[in-house]
Amino acid sequence: MIRTPFIAGNWKMFKTKAEAAAFAEEFKGLYQGTDVKAAICAPFTDLDTLVEAFRGTGIGVGAQNVHFEPSGAYTGEVSVGMLEEIGVDYCIVGHSERRQYFAETDETVNLKLKALLAGPIQPIMCVGESLEQRDAGELFDVVRRQLTDGLAGIPEADIRRVVIAYEPIWAIGTGRTATPEQAEEMCAFIRQVLIELYGEDAADEVILQYGGSVKPANATEIMNMDEIDGALVGGASLKPADLMAIIDF
Ligand code: PGA
């Protein structure tokens, strides 16, 4: 099974609408003739602008969060249907910053995945351990629980559309990348858990990304790993040339 490499930028809370438009203009010119899939996951206020700017380019657009209810009295939230109408392709779910600061749990991750998978938007589900959990030798237990609870009740037909990003919390925005071997070890473990849950054929099709201080200088060695099919890129996705250098790994 050949999995198409997939690099997604995660802008977090950076870039206004005008800044997003300027980025898109420059990035469109750089992203040509590559087989690597690319997407930008941006603040809600940038999504419309990016969808318009990237139309016909093959560059995807993603949100960074969504609510699991279709509508209701949830001040400050955005529904799957609202994202669909804009034409968004992807949505990050369960990023560690949302787990840490916005009370995201495996249960809400599960509800959001189910809400997204009922429509066309592909989820990018984030998992990963803290430094304390790694040092205590709990890393595999933590990630197994995030996977089994987060994916509970999601059928085999749908798992193929879920992108899973392994993002060790200690490597995010710290400049401290996991070694390619550490990233590969966990991605191989994730694939193994997926085989247990869904069988080999389905597990083989799932795109696994690594995220945490990915930059042009370390993209090649990370992307060359067997079980790593892509990257979720924070800081280095803010500059078109840096993101393009990672896509050109
Ligand atoms: P970083 O962020 O590349 O800035 O470490 C990655 C992420 O949080 O997705």
Side-chain angles (χ1 to χ4, degrees), residues 196-219:
E196 288 168 27
L197 294 174
Y198 295 102
E200 202 137 351
D201 287 353
D204 226 26
E205 285 186 37
V206 176
I207 298 288
L208 300 185
Q209 295 178 324
Y210 165 77
S213 300
V214 176
K215 43 188 179 275
N218 60 24

Side-chain angles (χ1 to χ4, degrees), residues 10 12 95 97 167 171-173 212-214 232-235:
N10 172 17
K12 310 194 178 188
H95 191 281
E97 287 151 17
E167 297 208 314
I172 295 176
S213 300
V214 176
L232 186 55
V233 184

Side-chain angles (χ1 to χ4, degrees), residues 41-96:
C41 300
F44 290 128
T45 46
D46 297 341
L47 295 177
D48 212 9
T49 304
L50 291 179
V51 168
E52 289 307 318
F54 290 151
R55 204 176 290 286
T57 64
I59 304 164
V61 177
Q64 301 170 4
N65 184 37
V66 72
H67 197 275
F68 48 81
E69 291 291 348
S71 61
Y74 301 103
T75 302
E77 293 294 309
V78 165
S79 73
V80 172
M82 292 168 185
L83 297 179
E84 279 179 20
E85 193 179 300
I86 288 182
V88 164
D89 309 290
Y90 301 96
C91 183
I92 296 175
V93 174
H95 191 281
S96 58

Side-chain angles (χ1 to χ4, degrees), residues 2 16 28 41 77 107 123 137 143 153 158 174 179 193:
I2 306 291
T16 65
K28 270 197 293 193
C41 300
E77 293 294 309
E107 195 188 345
V143 171
D158 284 344
T174 57
T179 65
V193 173

